[in-house]
Amino acid sequence: MLPEIERLLVLQDRDRKIRTLHQEAKMAPLERKELETKLNAANAGLDAAKLKSKENEVERKKLEVDAQVRRDQIAKFNAQKFQTRKNEEFQAFNNEIKRFEEEIRVIEDKELELMEKAEKLKAAVTEADTAAQAMRASAQRQVADLDAKTASMATQLAAFEKERAAFAAAIDEELVDTYERLFKNKGEAVVALNHDICTGCHMKVIAQTSVLVRGRKSVVHCENCGRILYPSE
Ligand SMILES: [Zn+2]
């Protein structure tokens, strides 16, 4: 193989690795964002469960107060009804007491219902809390992994860049320029010629190109796509 081609292939290998590392590095912030979203969702789930439980408790306290107001009123009526001498007033107090007692029964039924609901809401809070905790631990681990990966990629990238610079310095400057332009624009700069087919553009090259490539004496470009060719066999 032509020494220039060999050097260019090594350079291209490093450039591919550098390109892959750059692409992977771009993914890290997205992965971070995704973790953040999951974490926020878990926390929101916990907050929602806590709020429901709290609302239930507030409602229960309100019912307790409602019932107590009526109990106090009944006690008052019970005291007052014995102070009256009029039978209809006595009867009116009794009617009021009966009405309040009925209302208390309704309130107490509702309280019982809310107490049962409170048990379920409490369990839901515990469940959401466990889920949020697990999510936090998992996110923490994943962020640490991501940090380690990012650091390792930066180290690798620096090493590849350094190697790449050394390889490039050993190749004719003009050829490196041509190579770099091709690599940037076409993804691959140096490709194999396989049975007279350029593996870059998959077109058949003319006989003269084929002869020159197989001659291994000069840097030859595909006349269709401009990529640098080397013989595959
Ligand atoms: Zn081509």
Side-chain angles (χ1 to χ4, degrees):
M1 180 116 37
L2 198 68
E4 279 90 341
I5 297 286
E6 263 174 35
R7 290 192 196 109
L8 282 179
L9 282 174
V10 174
L11 190 62
Q12 183 166 264
D13 174 69
R14 288 301 174 278
D15 278 340
R16 275 191 201 137
K17 284 174 175 147
I18 289 167
R19 183 167 59 197
T20 305
L21 281 173
H22 276 302
Q23 281 163 352
E24 279 175 22
K26 270 191 209 158
M27 294 306 291
L30 297 180
E31 284 175 43
R32 261 174 230 278
K33 185 98 200 133
E34 208 181 295
L35 282 176
E36 216 176 280
T37 307
K38 276 189 199 164
L39 197 55
N40 286 343
N43 285 335
L46 177 59
D47 287 346
K50 277 182 178 167
L51 183 66
K52 267 192 192 170
S53 180
K54 182 88 200 159
E55 281 170 351
N56 180 280
E57 207 181 303
V58 168
E59 208 180 330
R60 260 171 66 205
K61 289 219 168 102
K62 193 180 154 282
L63 289 177
E64 255 172 52
V65 171
D66 284 352
Q68 194 52 47
V69 165
R70 281 160 181 77
R71 278 187 211 108
D72 292 347
Q73 198 59 48
I74 288 170
K76 234 199 239 163
F77 286 154
N78 270 330
Q80 283 172 343
K81 76 176 178 183
F82 291 113
Q83 284 164 12
T84 182
R85 289 191 182 134
K86 289 181 187 158
N87 197 32
E88 62 239 43
E89 272 185 22
F90 185 87
Q91 199 51 49
F93 278 129
N94 269 345
N95 286 343
E96 280 301 283
I97 289 166
K98 225 171 148 193
R99 186 168 69 84
F100 278 130
E101 278 173 349
E102 186 51 43
E103 281 179 12
I104 287 170
R105 258 194 297 282
V106 171
I107 290 168
E108 280 175 345
D109 280 352
K110 228 169 160 189
E111 272 186 279
L112 206 64
E113 217 173 88
L114 290 184
M115 268 160 78
E116 278 166 16
K117 207 173 151 195
E119 289 301 310
K120 282 179 194 150
L121 291 174
K122 213 174 133 193
V125 169
T126 306
E127 201 179 308
D129 192 26
T130 307
Q133 271 180 37
M135 188 59 225
R136 270 196 289 276
S138 155
Q140 244 166 21
R141 260 197 318 274
Q142 288 182 72
V143 165
D145 285 351
L146 218 51
D147 285 344
K149 199 173 140 196
T150 304
S152 144
M153 281 198 296
T155 309
Q156 257 185 307
L157 199 56
F160 285 145
E161 300 266 20
K162 204 176 156 190
E163 268 184 5
R164 191 232 177 254
F167 287 133
I171 307 170
D172 174 70
E173 212 175 304
E174 216 174 298
L175 184 58
V176 171
D177 281 350
T178 306
Y179 158 85
E180 282 177 349
R181 205 175 49 248
L182 283 167
F183 188 82
K184 189 168 171 257
N185 295 334
K186 303 201 180 283
E188 294 291 279
V190 191
V191 297
L193 183 68
N194 194 5
H195 298 293
D196 291 350
I197 303 284
C198 163
T199 52
C201 66
H202 306 290
M203 301 270 277
K204 194 172 179 181
V205 297
I206 58 172
Q208 192 193 354
T209 304
S210 173
V211 169
L212 284 172
V213 171
R214 279 184 279 121
R216 297 173 166 87
K217 287 202 168 53
S218 58
V219 172
V220 185
H221 294 264
C222 166
E223 69 269 8
N224 300 305
C225 67
R227 289 182 180 90
I228 298 162
L229 296 169
Y230 66 92
S232 67
E233 62 276 7

